[in-house]
Amino acid sequence: MKKLINYINSKVLVKITSLQTASVLTRVLAGILTSKAIAIFIGAEGLALIGNLRNFVGSFQTVATLGLYKGVVKYVSEFKENTVKLSKTLSTVYYVGFIATITVSFFCYFKSEWINNIIFPTYNDYAYVIRIFAIVLPFYALNMFTFSIMNGFSKYKILIIINIIGQILSVAIALLLIYQNKIDGALISVVIAESLIFLITLVGIINRKSLIKHIKVSHVSLEILKKLSPYSLMAFFSAVLLPLVAIIIRSYIIENIGYKDAGFWEAMTRISNYYLMFVSSLIALYLLPRFSEISSTRAFKKEVVSFYKTIIPVLSVGLLLIYLLKHYIVVTVFSKEFEPVEDLFLFQLLGDFIKILSIIIAYQFLAKKMFWHYILTEAFLIIILYTTSIYFIDMLNNIKGAVIAHFISYVMYYGIILLIFSSSLFGVESEGN
């Protein structure tokens, strides 16, 4: 019987992994198609504007939802058999999230001109895009609330299918808007894309409509909110501050070098994100649950060394191929206008290589709930990324300074990570460990 259960579980895992791979592949293809359309119909300058807007949208979506939803997944999964605690969790997140989302929506709507001046330097025509974002933001929040509940109930298959359909729908609308309205269409597609998926998620709400009766104002719990607050603070650093730093760096490039160069930097960042999606999915799927099971320093060291031995050769060959094929990648994903991006590949790829090595070890922060270690190292990364970027951009008067800063920042971050885990990774192993 045990063998049969393990066999069934393995088959389910293979199906989920295959769907997850299909989801990541869909996202990458959607990104490449959108990038190509932007390159053809808008150009490098427009890509810089879109980059700033994407970072702004990502940050404020997290602020609007208070970064609570990773915590929701955990506690819905934990309390799904406990009606009272489940009701408290859903009620707290729903009503607190509702207040936060409406507050952010009102702020974005009435401060749209001010936001426009920050994220679109020298362009004063796109405040209306910020107002559209403010209107559709509640739909994004409701979508995330539904997603997290379905995730907590382990509805992985339907979640991934919804994600794939959502990506296809979003890219179709984005391509249509870019073709018809050029830069305006591209900016509108950025602010509405995530909210559109809510139309598909309605299926999930219908399937789980019995949970609606558990959402009550009287069940809002400060105790649950306190439990969720670490997830909120962690999301604040990773999903809010890093994109805001990217906006500051890109705006600095715009003001000191030019929009076109800022677009080239954004193009390099996009290419980097495309291949990192696959690596990040692999690490999250395998390492986080594996590290959660590990209780000894010896086992942790063994797992890290084993994963390094597996991934470093593959990663090295993959990044080397990307470097050698950089011209064809740039022309295929974008256009010949973006050929200057080729000069950015070396330090971007080196930085990404070190980034992956550091993330592999840093996942232990999440697995073992090392909250303050995570916060302090992320704060260090954000500060060093900003300061080195400004320094090297000024020194070289070239966007190559931004990718050099990316490399140096992750070398320093990796050094801190190794220092924190030095006793586990380099210490003398004892029998007790």
Side-chain angles (χ1 to χ4, degrees):
M1 177 61 76
K2 188 176 179 181
K3 286 184 178 179
L4 178 61
I5 292 170
N6 289 337
Y7 174 77
I8 292 169
N9 287 339
S10 68
K11 288 291 183 183
V12 171
L13 183 61
V14 167
K15 283 183 180 179
I16 291 170
T17 306
S18 300
L19 281 169
Q20 181 70 28
T21 304
S23 177
V24 173
L25 187 60
T26 304
R27 286 175 63 193
V28 171
L29 290 174
I32 290 172
L33 285 171
T34 307
S35 296
K36 190 69 177 179
I38 291 168
I40 293 170
F41 294 105
I42 301 169
E45 292 188 12
L47 190 61
L49 291 174
I50 293 162
N52 266 7
L53 182 62
R54 279 165 62 92
N55 287 140
F56 164 78
V57 167
S59 287
F60 273 70
Q61 282 174 339
T62 304
V63 172
T65 57
L66 299 177
L68 294 174
Y69 292 124
K70 282 190 178 179
V72 175
V73 174
K74 171 182 166 54
Y75 289 113
V76 167
S77 178
E78 187 177 321
F79 300 146
K80 59 186 174 185
E81 303 299 331
N82 187 323
T83 307
V84 175
K85 287 189 175 180
L86 179 63
S87 177
K88 285 184 178 181
T89 301
L90 297 180
S91 301
T92 302
V93 173
Y94 178 80
Y95 284 106
V96 172
F98 175 79
I99 293 169
T101 301
I102 295 301
T103 302
V104 172
S105 290
F106 271 93
F107 173 79
C108 290
Y109 191 90
F110 292 107
K111 290 289 184 179
S112 58
E113 299 284 350
W114 178 73
I115 294 168
N116 179 93
N117 293 336
I118 292 175
I119 65 175
F120 301 131
T122 72
Y123 279 80
N124 300 311
D125 305 325
Y126 299 120
Y128 79 94
V129 177
I130 308 299
R131 289 193 286 271
I132 292 173
F133 170 67
I135 292 167
V136 301
L137 185 58
F139 295 102
Y140 166 81
L142 193 54
N143 182 62
M144 288 301 296
F145 179 63
T146 309
F147 255 51
S148 58
I149 293 172
M150 294 167 70
N151 206 342
F153 279 96
S154 303
K155 300 293 181 181
Y156 304 124
K157 188 175 178 180
I158 190 170
L159 276 175
I160 295 170
I161 290 170
I162 287 172
N163 232 319
I164 292 171
I165 296 171
Q167 288 295 329
I168 294 169
L169 176 65
S170 296
V171 76
I173 291 173
L175 293 176
L176 180 63
L177 287 171
I178 291 168
Y179 176 73
Q180 289 186 334
N181 301 294
K182 307 298 186 285
I183 182 64
D184 291 74
L187 294 174
I188 292 169
S189 71
V190 169
V191 299
I192 68 171
E194 296 285 344
S195 302
L196 283 174
I197 301 175
F198 176 71
L199 298 173
I200 305 163
T201 313
L202 280 173
V203 177
I205 295 175
I206 292 167
N207 288 337
R208 286 279 162 187
K209 60 186 177 182
S210 59
L211 291 173
I212 295 173
K213 65 183 180 184
H214 295 297
I215 301 174
K216 301 175 182 177
V217 177
S218 58
H219 286 188
V220 173
S221 168
L222 289 176
E223 180 191 352
I224 294 293
L225 192 60
K226 188 177 178 181
K227 284 183 176 181
L228 291 168
S229 59
Y231 294 92
S232 183
L233 193 52
M234 285 192 289
F236 178 76
F237 272 86
S238 60
V240 176
L241 292 185
L242 274 174
L244 290 180
V245 168
I247 291 174
I248 294 169
I249 295 169
R250 196 180 294 104
S251 297
Y252 191 81
I253 293 170
I254 289 168
E255 291 169 4
N256 291 274
I257 304 175
Y259 265 101
K260 184 163 279 193
D261 289 270
F264 293 151
W265 182 59
E266 170 64 15
M268 184 69 257
T269 303
R270 281 187 172 226
I271 292 169
S272 170
N273 288 339
Y274 295 151
Y275 59 74
L276 284 177
M277 278 186 203
F278 289 101
V279 181
S280 300
S281 297
L282 173 66
I283 293 172
L285 193 66
Y286 174 76
L287 268 190
L288 190 55
R290 184 71 189 106
F291 279 178
S292 299
E293 296 169 0
I294 290 171
S295 58
S296 69
T297 55
R298 177 180 291 181
F300 171 64
K301 178 180 178 180
K302 183 180 178 182
E303 197 63 43
V304 170
V305 171
S306 173
F307 203 77
Y308 270 7
K309 284 181 179 177
T310 304
I311 201 169
I312 286 177
V314 177
L315 185 63
S316 301
V317 172
L319 293 179
L320 180 61
L321 281 173
I322 289 170
Y323 182 76
L324 294 174
L325 297 172
K326 60 184 178 179
H327 173 74
Y328 302 101
I329 291 170
V330 169
V331 173
T332 302
V333 177
F334 296 100
S335 65
K336 285 193 173 183
E337 179 193 357
F338 288 81
E339 284 181 347
V341 175
E342 293 173 37
D343 295 333
L344 308 180
F345 268 73
L346 179 60
F347 282 101
Q348 183 70 41
L349 294 174
L350 289 172
D352 288 341
F353 182 75
I354 302 299
K355 178 180 180 178
I356 292 164
L357 296 186
S358 61
I359 287 173
I360 288 169
I361 300 175
Y363 257 97
Q364 183 75 335
F365 292 150
L366 302 177
K368 297 303 179 188
K369 301 186 177 93
M370 300 169 70
F371 175 71
W372 285 111
H373 288 82
Y374 177 86
I375 295 297
L376 292 173
T377 52
E378 286 292 308
F380 171 81
L381 176 61
I382 288 164
I383 293 167
I384 206 69
L385 186 60
Y386 168 74
T387 53
T388 55
S389 295
I390 301 302
Y391 175 77
F392 283 106
I393 290 168
D394 281 345
M395 187 176 78
L396 300 174
N397 195 32
N398 189 289
I399 53 167
K400 191 178 282 188
V403 290
I404 291 172
H406 170 73
F407 170 62
I408 290 173
S409 297
Y410 276 99
V411 168
M412 296 176 74
Y413 176 72
Y414 189 38
I416 296 293
I417 297 293
L418 290 176
L419 187 63
I420 291 170
F421 291 104
S422 57
S423 59
S424 300
L425 295 171
F426 311 116
V428 178
E429 294 178 356
S430 63
E431 292 301 317
N433 292 333

